[in-house]
Amino acid sequence: METIAVYWEPIIKIYGFLEKTGLCLFRITLAFDQMTACGALIQKIEAGDGRFLMATGRMLDGKSLQLQLLFEKRAADRYRDELNKLTTCDPRIAFSVDAPVELIYFHGPHFGDRFGIADAAFGALAREKFLVLAAACTGASVYIVVPENTARTAVEILSKKFVMPRSEKHPA
């Protein structure tokens, strides 16, 4: 016997919205056979002081992949030239930077056990025709990269679907 429980909220409870500004989004487009060289460089950066805030990957056409790395500006300035060298070594690799950008991220209870979290977030933004540059979801978190000076507006849009419960103080 299997028991399945489904939980749904019209307004989804979260632990709050967090925002980071002054970021750079690196995009590296490469063929699958170029992953080893590119991966080694990314590991070298991550092992040093150039830690990225978010990493995503997506298949483009069955033969190539786009990696997106989100850095704080000081780390981005340091590693931009190093990553750009990939294109010099192999002209099939494309490298671009969106900067400055902002990050919104939020966490909620049991996101991984509930359906509709990503749909609620991205559906709300899509209805407002809001530009999302990159996004990633984990079991309990949603990360959304947006253009500079737009994170506040995105949070206002998302606040129609997500809420941080407030505790009421009870009289003693």
Side-chain angles (χ1 to χ4, degrees):
M1 175 188 288
E2 181 179 355
T3 302
I4 298 174
V6 175
Y7 178 76
W8 179 83
E9 299 170 298
I11 305 293
I12 302 164
K13 293 178 187 76
I14 61 171
Y15 299 125
F17 291 104
L18 301 162
E19 299 172 41
K20 285 188 81 73
T21 61
L23 306 175
C24 297
L25 180 65
F26 289 4
R27 297 176 195 269
I28 307 162
T29 304
L30 61 152
F32 289 131
D33 67 343
Q34 299 164 311
M35 283 292 298
T36 302
C38 186
L41 179 56
I42 292 168
Q43 285 179 327
K44 178 182 165 190
I45 290 169
E46 179 64 14
D49 62 349
R51 303 185 81 72
F52 40 83
L53 301 169
M54 182 182 87
T56 68
R58 66 185 181 119
M59 190 177 342
L60 296 177
D61 57 9
K63 297 179 229 161
S64 61
L65 176 74
Q66 183 178 74
L67 301 175
Q68 298 176 333
L69 304 173
L70 186 66
F71 288 94
E72 290 185 352
K73 185 175 180 346
R74 63 180 164 72
D77 290 344
R78 186 170 192 176
Y79 293 106
R80 180 187 323 246
D81 292 338
E82 200 160 341
L83 284 165
N84 200 34
K85 287 178 190 172
L86 288 172
T87 62
T88 306
C89 297
D90 191 334
R92 298 176 300 153
I93 298 177
F95 175 68
S96 65
V97 179
D98 287 328
V101 298
E102 299 177 345
L103 173 67
I104 304 155
Y105 54 109
F106 55 98
H107 318 283
H110 311 291
F111 271 17
D113 299 333
R114 298 162 47 193
F115 71 92
I117 305 297
D119 182 59
F122 300 114
L125 294 169
R127 279 188 291 286
E128 297 293 328
K129 297 179 176 37
F130 191 88
L131 178 61
V132 172
L133 300 173
C137 299
T138 66
S141 303
V142 177
Y143 296 82
I144 304 171
V145 180
V146 298
E148 182 181 36
N149 299 320
T150 64
R152 187 87 326 249
T153 303
V155 168
E156 289 171 13
I157 293 168
L158 292 168
S159 293
K160 296 172 186 168
K161 288 289 188 179
F162 298 89
V163 66
M164 187 172 80
R166 295 193 174 135
S167 64
E168 296 180 25
K169 293 185 180 182
H170 297 286

